Amino acid sequence: MDSHDCSTDRVAGSLHDGIVLLTEKTRPSQIPYRALLPKEVDNLLVTVCVSSTHMGWGTIRVEPTLMHIAESAAIAATLSLKSEILPVAVSVRELQLSLAENRIMLSFFNEFDAKSSEEWSAAVQFFGTKGFFHGYRADLDALVTDSLAEIWLGGLSRLLSNSDADPMVLARAVSEEASKTSRNMISRQGFLDKLRAFTTSKGVPLNKVLGDVQEEGVPKFLSKRECCVVMYRIVKYFA
C-alpha cells in the first residue's frame, strides 16, 4: 500500500506531506464486487476508477491488480449477458464460483498456486472469501477437529441460507479454534454423519457429492483439503 501526494501543500518542516509507504504493513486482501458498480448506473462495470477512498486506492493502483479486476469484470459481464440481467444484479457467489473454476485468484495463500487444476484449489479459493481461513496458510493437510467441523458446517449453513454473515466473524472463530492446545480430531465417518444430517434437511443427494471421500481404504481422519472439496461440491450443487 502506498499513497502519493494528495496536494502540493506542505506541512511546515515536512517534505513528505501526503506520502504514506506501508510496504511492511500491507498484506494481500480482497476487493468487493460492489466497488466496480457505480451507485447511479446499473449497466456499467468500472475497472480502474473503482469506488474507494484515497488510501484504499493506494492498495489497488498497480497494473497487475487492475488487470485482475478487469479479468473479473469480464467474467461478470459474461454472466450478465448469459442470464440477461444487469451487472448490478449478478450474483456475487456465482461470480466467485466462476472465478474459482477459472483458476483466477480470489484468496492468497503462501503454500500453493491458485492456478492449480486440482478441485481443492478452487474450493479453497472460494472458501477463502467466506472466512473459512484466518491467515495466509491454509494448512490443507492438517486434520479437521471436532470444533473446526462445527464452525465450518455453521458457516456452510449460513452460506446456503444466503444470510449476510460477516466473513470476519467466521474467520475469528476459526482463529480462536486454531489457538487451542487441546483439540480432538473428528473421524471421517463422524464428519460425514454430521454432513449427512445437515444436507438431508437441505435436500442434497449427499452420495452424489461425496465421491472418493467415502471410498473404502481411505484414512480414518479427514484433511482440510478433503473437507473443503466436499463442502464446495455442495455449494456448487445449489448454485
Side-chain angles (χ1 to χ4, degrees), residues 42-216:
D42 293 336
N43 197 30
L44 180 65
L45 286 164
V46 179
T47 59
V48 177
C49 298
V50 300
S51 176
S52 71
T53 64
H54 178 78
M55 293 295 288
W57 172 247
T59 71
I60 297 173
R61 50 165 290 279
V62 290
E63 284 74 8
T65 305
L66 298 178
M67 292 164 65
H68 195 142
I69 294 173
E71 187 173 28
S72 301
I75 290 183
T78 300
L79 294 174
S80 171
L81 290 170
K82 284 183 177 180
S83 301
E84 297 184 345
I85 57 176
L86 296 173
V88 71
V90 169
S91 163
V92 172
R93 184 189 306 176
E94 185 179 359
L95 174 57
Q96 290 171 330
L97 287 171
S98 296
L99 292 171
E101 289 294 307
N102 282 281
R103 301 306 187 262
I104 298 171
M105 183 183 289
L106 290 168
S107 310
F108 176 83
F109 294 101
N110 287 314
E111 68 268 52
F112 65 86
D113 191 332
K115 292 185 294 185
S116 171
S117 60
E118 298 292 333
E119 185 180 11
W120 59 262
S121 178
V124 174
Q125 285 291 307
F126 175 77
F127 286 120
T129 70
K130 305 301 180 185
F132 282 66
F133 299 92
H134 68 284
Y136 297 118
R137 285 194 60 82
D139 291 323
L140 297 177
D141 293 325
L143 301 180
V144 178
T145 64
D146 278 317
S147 52
L148 181 60
E150 291 292 339
I151 293 170
W152 274 6
L153 288 177
L156 181 63
S157 177
R158 288 187 290 274
L159 184 60
L160 296 183
S161 64
N162 295 313
S163 68
D164 294 327
D166 184 353
M168 290 303 297
V169 174
L170 181 61
R172 291 188 190 99
V174 173
S175 177
E176 291 173 3
E177 190 279 334
S179 67
K180 296 178 180 177
T181 55
S182 178
R183 298 183 294 166
N184 296 320
M185 303 302 159
I186 190 171
S187 68
R188 180 180 299 266
Q189 191 57 52
F191 178 79
L192 295 181
D193 287 344
K194 287 179 179 290
L195 197 60
R196 185 169 286 104
F198 166 77
T199 55
T200 297
S201 62
K202 300 289 184 181
V204 180
L206 188 59
N207 289 335
K208 289 186 177 181
V209 301
L210 288 178
D212 51 1
V213 177
Q214 63 177 352
E215 291 178 357
E216 294 184 4

Side-chain angles (χ1 to χ4, degrees), residues 215-228:
E215 291 178 357
E216 294 184 4
V218 294
K220 178 180 179 181
F221 296 102
L222 196 71
S223 69
K224 290 183 179 179
R225 187 191 314 270
E226 294 172 296
C227 186
C228 284

Side-chain angles (χ1 to χ4, degrees), residues 1-10 15-23 53-63:
M1 205 295 290
D2 65 352
S3 175
H4 289 212
D5 293 22
C6 303
S7 72
T8 58
D9 296 335
R10 291 288 179 268
L15 297 177
H16 302 288
D17 184 41
I19 296 179
V20 181
L21 300 176
L22 297 176
T23 305
T53 64
H54 178 78
M55 293 295 288
W57 172 247
T59 71
I60 297 173
R61 50 165 290 279
V62 290
E63 284 74 8

